[in-house]
Amino acid sequence: MAEKDLENRVSSLEKNFEVFVQEMRDFKDEMRDFKAEMRQQNEMRAAEIARVDAKIEQLREQREKDNAKHEADIKELNQKIEDKFDKLSNQFHTTSIATILGVGAIVWAIVSALK
């Protein structure tokens, strides 16, 4: 009877051990799946980061182009303002000279008439 009891206990232990081994295999498989999923997520994140970096670089380049165009537009506008100011200054200068000559002519005419 002791032998049969011992065989039953050994058989029970073997079954328990087989169950434990199977559970460990299942756990190992789950861990492999988990690691594979984590690698896939890391790759997806890396791809997304690369896309965002490319978009940022594209926007930076566009901003530099826009800034260069803006600076060129400002220079052109400043040049136009300077040209108009120069023309206005020349007109003012010409008008001033004409006014001085006119006043001078009037003064000369008055002085000549009084003599």
Side-chain angles (χ1 to χ4, degrees), residues 22-101:
Q22 186 59 44
E23 288 176 353
M24 290 306 294
R25 284 185 185 134
D26 293 345
F27 178 75
K28 194 174 174 182
D29 291 342
E30 285 180 31
M31 290 307 294
R32 280 190 191 120
D33 292 344
F34 178 75
K35 284 170 51 177
E37 184 179 333
M38 292 303 294
R39 282 188 188 108
Q40 183 181 17
Q41 288 179 0
N42 285 340
E43 290 170 0
M44 288 169 40
R45 272 192 294 275
E48 181 63 24
I49 288 169
R51 282 192 297 274
V52 168
D53 286 347
K55 183 68 174 175
I56 288 171
E57 182 63 23
Q58 179 186 12
L59 291 172
R60 187 189 61 76
E61 289 173 0
Q62 184 63 41
R63 187 187 74 223
E64 287 178 1
K65 288 177 185 176
D66 290 346
N67 284 346
K69 184 181 181 308
H70 178 71
E71 287 177 18
D73 290 345
I74 292 296
K75 284 181 182 179
E76 181 182 345
L77 183 61
N78 283 340
Q79 186 62 45
K80 286 180 180 178
I81 290 171
E82 286 179 22
D83 291 344
K84 288 190 185 234
F85 184 76
D86 288 343
K87 286 179 184 177
L88 185 62
S89 179
N90 286 336
Q91 288 176 351
F92 181 74
H93 184 260
T94 303
T95 304
S96 297
I97 290 174
T99 302
I100 291 171
L101 289 176

Side-chain angles (χ1 to χ4, degrees), residues 9-10 20 40 103 112:
R9 287 185 67 197
V10 168
F20 176 75
Q40 183 181 17
V103 169
S112 294

Side-chain angles (χ1 to χ4, degrees), residues 104-115:
I106 291 171
V107 170
W108 181 73
I110 292 174
V111 170
S112 294
L114 289 177
K115 283 188 183 181

